[in-house]
Amino acid sequence: MEAMNSFGSYGYRFSDSKLQKIAQIWSLGWEEQTSSLYDWDGTNRRDTGKFIFQYTISGKGAIHINGKLHNLAPGQAFIVNIPGNYRYFLPDDSDKWEFIYLTLYGDVVEYYWNLIQKKAGNILYFQPDAFPITEFLELFKMASNHNISNAHQASGYAYQFTMELYHYCSALEHNMTHWPDEMIEAAMFAKNHYAEDIGPDDMAVSSGISRYHFTRQFKKLANQTPIQYLTDIRINKAKELMQNTKYSAEDIAQSIGYQNSNYYNKVFKKVTGMTPGQYKKSIVLKK
C-alpha cells in the first residue's frame, strides 16, 4: 500500500436532501490511535443512520460484536451500522492501531451494507491492493487535496464505493468468515507479505500454532497447502503485472518474493503450464 504524507480526517455536511436519501459521505480519514481512550460504543452513538467501513493498516484493534471479540490485524476490516450492538477500541495488548475509515449514509448504502453483513458478516478481509482499498485511497487523496467540493460529486463517490465493496465481497474466492482467527491471520500474512522472502513456516508463526497442526488445518479449510496458497497469490500477481506493466521477468520475480527470474520461471510454468514469456504472448494475441 502506498503511504500517504500525513494522517487526516474530513467531514462533509451537504444539504441536498435528495442525494442524502440515495448515498452520501459523512466522514473519512486515516488515523493512528495509541490511547485506550479510543473506545466507541455503537449503542451510544448520536450520529444515527450512518454506516462505517474501517480497515486496519498496521498495529491491532479490536471489536466486540454479536457476543464475540475479534482482533483486527492488518488486512482486516469491519462494517457496522449506527446504532448497533458493538464496541470497537484499542485493546490493552496493542500499542497502536492505524486504520482508514469511511462513514456513509443513505438508503442505497443501508441496503447494500445489510446485504454484505448478511452474506459475509461484519469482519472482512482485503489484500492491500484490493479495489475497495485502492478506491478509498484515491478518495482520501481527493479529500486531502480539497477536491471534494459539492454534493453531487460526493454522492457519486459514496455510491461507487458501496457498489465496489459489494461486488468485491460477492466475488471472494474463499469466504474466510467462518475460519478460525489464527487461520485468517496466516492467510492475511501471506496476502500482505507475498513480496517478501516468506514461506509456510512464516505463515505458521503468524498463526501462533505449530507448523504440523497449522498445515493440516489450513489445507482442510483452503483445499490447498500453505505453499500452494502462497504460490497462487504470487503467480496471480505476476500475471497482473504482465498484463498492466512492462516489467522484466527479473523485476517481476523480485516484486513477488522470488530471488531470481530462473526460479520464478520454473514456478510459473509448473503452475500455469507455460513460461512467463509464453503467457505474455498469449495476452498480446487476445488483445
Side-chain angles (χ1 to χ4, degrees), residues 39-45 84-88:
D39 192 326
W40 288 95
D41 187 336
T43 61
N44 294 328
R45 299 288 294 265
N85 187 21
Y86 56 83
R87 170 180 166 248
Y88 55 96

Side-chain angles (χ1 to χ4, degrees), residues 11 19 43 64 135 152 179 190 193 219 233-234 254 281:
L19 295 177
T43 61
H64 194 278
E135 186 87 356
H152 286 85
W179 285 23
H193 297 276
K219 186 176 182 180
I233 293 172
R234 285 170 164 162
Q254 294 288 336
K281 287 180 181 178

